Amino acid sequence: MPETMAKFRCWSAESVARTVFSDIGALAGDADAVFLAAHTPVNLKQEKGRELKASASGEAQVLEALTSRVGDLERNTLVAVTGGSGSGKSHVVRWVHSHLDRQDPRYRVLYVPRAVQTLRDLLRRIIEGLPGVEGSTLMDRVDHALSNVRPGELQERLVNEIQIALNWRLDDSAPFDGETPDEAAAREDRNNMLGIRNRETGGREAGLAELIDIREFKETLLRPDGHLSQLVHSYFDETSRRDDNEQIFTTDDLPLKARGVQGALRGNRDLLELWQLVRQTPTDALELLEQALRVALRRVVGLDAKSGDTLDSLFRESRRALREQGQELILIFEDLAQFGLVDGELYDQFVTQPGNDLAPLRVVFAVTDGAYGRMERTVRTRVEYEFRVDGSALADPAQFMARYLNLVRVGREETLEHGESTARRRDGEHWMVNACDTREQGRPCRFRDRCHAAFGSVAVEGLGDVGLYPYNASALDRAYQNLGGNPTPRDVLDECVSTILVEADSHIAEGDYPHARTWTQFKHVTSMAKDVLIAAHPSSDPERNYRTLVIWGNEAALDTSVLEAFSLDPPPMRRPQGEAPKRAVTTRPALPRPEQELPNPLLPLFQWQNGDSLPQADADYYRDALRNLVADRLNLDQYLVNAYRGQGKELLESLFNRTSINIEGARGRVADQAKSVVFELHRTADDVQLLAAAHWFRDHGHFDTSRPKWQWPTGYDPVDLMLSLEVRLDAWASVVRERLLNEAGGSRIAQLAVGVRAVALAVSGQDISQLGSATDVLRSPTMGGVPASQPWLAADAAALRAVSALKTEEYIGDFAAVRQGADGQPQLVDPNELDDAISAFLSDPEANLSEAANSTVFPAVAQHARQLLDAVRASAEATIGSAQQAHEAAVRMLQGHTPLQIARLAEEVGTDARNAGFFRPTDKWHEFLQAVNVLNAATQPDVETAPGGSLAGVIREQKALRDLDRLANALSFVEHAMTETKRESERSGTTAGDVSRLQAAVKEELAELAAIMKALGPGGVQ
Amino acid sequence: MNEAPAPATWIAETKEAVHLATNASEAKKQAEALREAEAELRRLLDQLRDLQVSAAVVRGLGWPGKVAAPDVRQALDQATGFGARPLARVPRPLEQYCRDVESSIAAHWREHASRELGDVTGLLGLANTLAGVAGIAEVSQELQATLGQLERTRIPTSQSVALLAKAKSLLTQLESSLQPDEVRQFLSAVARGGASVQALTQGVASWLESHGSLDHFKIVAGSPAGGRQ
């Protein structure tokens, strides 16, 4: 019986940790063998420099460029390796370092790996690595500068030193030969930004340094989360730095959007102009700030001193010593960017030619494209060779991965042991062993053949066939795809080796690989529903089996060895006795693959099932489809509800709409369950089947797979899909119907609507005796009645709004009517409920309006009821008072007469006066006649009491109140006209005026005479 | 058939004003009649007001009042309709009534004054005679002035009662000043029309001499007042 592969691993998490370093800086300098063992040759494009030996290629060209001038004492050699972040340029430099012959007496090597992180470590590495120097005073100064100061203080000192550098230390840039007009303009802009040189003091005025003095500017530079702060902290914290952030300053470091800068500069024309220049060309200002920062930083961290060691002096000292010994100095920098803002010292050495007393420098450094572009021109022009990483080590991902898979299998110790011969490595001999062939005491791995057959292998130059386990071609491809379109080698190592292999080690050992997290580590695009695939490949661990089927099997049957290695159930094998097992074949018939020429719009759905988000368009499609399919089978007509138009449709829309379908993880608003029906759809087999069925049926209108517009979803049975859809739609329709009927309360909404209209009509002055039935209420006119009294106007307006806006007949038609016929119009209405509602509303309008106002289902009814109720409540008291006043006035003016009697007499007097020209006001004759007509038609008011008296009374007797108000107004108007007419008559006829006065006088005299006579008589009292 | 109620005041007034303004001549005639009546009534009213004051004086002295004749009251009632004729009929009976009242009051006053003072005219003469007599000249002069005022009063006013009291007081004061008794009798006789020769006693002659009044008396032929004293 063959030995099982279950839980077999040919690597360990520890070996991964000790051999794989995505950041070459983390790999110790003495572990070259580990580095080389997995190194994939890099394609390099020589951008600059003389032609090298044709035999050399790749990294070897760089090595040749670096060493080709050894022995030439006249000049230095600068070799730059450029490329994007993570492209492998540091690996090239590391390769060069590992292939240098350290025993060569012609040179000494100073190697600065990326592993060096802080400024102090960097300086110490250089000082200690420079042959023949001590450098203790320099290190003491740096230690002192950085040891007893807080980052905030250092940051503030930096800003001050930046200002000093701008004013005093930075010189104007001079023109240079071959300068382009753009370069000249940029240079002049830079010089202008520096400011105007004061000839007496030597400092500058009206420059960038003065702008920094503005509070907003300085605060921007000093902000805690600013770039300057990050830089300062990087000198204190041992954080791994990569060359991703190449720029020190960005526009965020300028107060371009801050308020107050213009104001602070008011009155200073020079600075105002400078600020405008900065705003127009912020990048120039940022470059100048960076230049100043370089100068400032050297002073602040102690690199710049008038006495004692400096980096420059130490370099010179070392170079002099080497020159005396006839040796040269080779400098190897895996990442020049790590020198950051102190690279000036280094660049000074690069451009300092040997002369007669200094050793020549042979320098190779890796630098990002951006940093290289910003490098001082004087240095860049002295770079003799420039190589650019061209193409990726990932050109053949399987090869790349195979080297690392082999490295982790061989392990660090064995790799170092095999690679200890530097000479062999330099000569290019393939020294690394293939674990698949040698793993077991130099013998091939016992699973080699089965493993390679099941998981695949890749032929690697110098190694032979390297197995891909635990990957296979599909898994590796999906792992790469999961990293996006263009991953860097660093990305691949971080994820595919350092993460996936380490996790695979423990989980394979536990027998639960691929674990759930693998779903996020591998691209898991699928072409069929999860449940379908699981059903076709039953397993005691369906989830893990499913992941394996997708990632390793591309949704096809898996090789039994894969299942075995991952401790998954083997497929039930039934083969004829004696027949050899077929490779990567299961006994289950393969699922029929869909027709390739037809599209498959369900793919996003299957991805969603596997955890991806559902695209917005798909989500909306499913929501609309399900919503419409459910709506089609509500059959609300049977419940007297018309859901196809008007209020019924509106209610249905509010209760059940697109947002009612809540698809797990999908974008889009989800309805509030308190207000609407919500149906949840999760990434379950049932819900996916439902969605697939809805999609198919929506697009096809049938479940006939022989007439497809797109691929029938693999593995689904048409009957199952149809039943799934039918059952769910019926269930949902039942929920929606029940909710709608419950919300609408049957015909209650129609009752509320007709009741509100009845009250509104009463409020607007309709005679309630004419509002006895729904028919009366619906056809009752809304205009032309007696106007409301002043205090009732607001209530009247609310009533008219309610009457005109409330489509009462629609509520009745949509919720209380039977519809028949082709047009579906309401045909039959039961009036009893509606009539009762009207009676109830008019009997107790306040309580019934309150109920309608609290209806949450029909906002329009509730809104008008609320407005009407509020308005009548607010108007009632004043209206009652007004009615009482009108009543008193009418009774007073009528003086016991009927309005008709007053009308006739007033008309007679008015007509006489008008004929004689005495009627006043002359322009009110028409109104006078109208008032007379009002009196003619008015009824005699009750002398004892005014109508109304309560809110309900005011509503019910509104017509009487209005009549009374109109009567009082008419009487007042007639009285007014009579008074004015009398005055005019007396004024126009003076005599008449005298008669009136004389009559009064005579009348008074006669009365007095009679009184005196009486007093003079017998018994009179004097 | 029910009687129609009177029209509402505010309409009726307007109706009248309109009516008047419309008929200007009628209004003018009515106004003239009213104006005349108003003036006449005002005059009569002034008289009656004066009579009312006097009546108040004599009412306390037992004056019984004067009832108006029926035609006076009838005229007044008819005049309240402001008709021109009724108005014109008011003054005549009313004037008669005024005269009747005045006469009644004056008679009652005179009678009262006589009861209080006696013959006022005689008293005035004596007072005038004695006005130059030393010692009583001042009282006599004041009595003379007071009596003159009373003499000019036909019907009493509110001051008349006080004047009457003052005159009475002055007369008492004067008579008490005439001592001895033969002098008082002599002078009283003189004051009342002349004393007899017998009344001119030695004592009287001495009094007249002592009071420097010999030049104020003379003997004339005739019967003495009151006969022989």
Short mmCIF file of all heavy atoms in Angstrom, two decimals, chain A residues 196 274 412 902:
data_model
loop_
_atom_site.label_atom_id
_atom_site.label_comp_id
_atom_site.label_asym_id
_atom_site.label_seq_id
_atom_site.Cartn_x
_atom_site.Cartn_y
_atom_site.Cartn_z
N ILE A 196 16.05 88.44 -2.12
CA ILE A 196 17.02 89.41 -2.62
C ILE A 196 18.19 89.50 -1.64
O ILE A 196 17.98 89.66 -0.43
CB ILE A 196 16.35 90.79 -2.76
CG1 ILE A 196 15.10 90.66 -3.64
CG2 ILE A 196 17.32 91.81 -3.32
CD1 ILE A 196 14.10 91.76 -3.44
N LEU A 274 5.77 87.06 -3.97
CA LEU A 274 6.44 85.77 -3.79
C LEU A 274 5.42 84.67 -3.47
O LEU A 274 5.49 83.55 -3.99
CB LEU A 274 7.46 85.88 -2.65
CG LEU A 274 8.17 84.56 -2.28
CD1 LEU A 274 8.97 84.03 -3.45
CD2 LEU A 274 9.06 84.75 -1.06
N ARG A 412 17.98 26.87 5.34
CA ARG A 412 19.06 27.84 5.40
C ARG A 412 20.42 27.17 5.60
O ARG A 412 21.39 27.46 4.88
CB ARG A 412 18.78 28.80 6.57
CG ARG A 412 19.82 29.92 6.70
CD ARG A 412 19.51 30.80 7.91
NE ARG A 412 20.46 31.89 8.06
CZ ARG A 412 20.25 33.12 7.65
NH1 ARG A 412 19.13 33.43 7.06
NH2 ARG A 412 21.18 34.05 7.83
N ILE A 902 -85.23 95.60 7.69
CA ILE A 902 -84.11 96.55 7.63
C ILE A 902 -83.69 96.74 6.17
O ILE A 902 -83.42 97.86 5.71
CB ILE A 902 -82.93 96.02 8.46
CG1 ILE A 902 -83.29 95.99 9.94
CG2 ILE A 902 -81.68 96.86 8.23
CD1 ILE A 902 -83.44 97.34 10.59
#
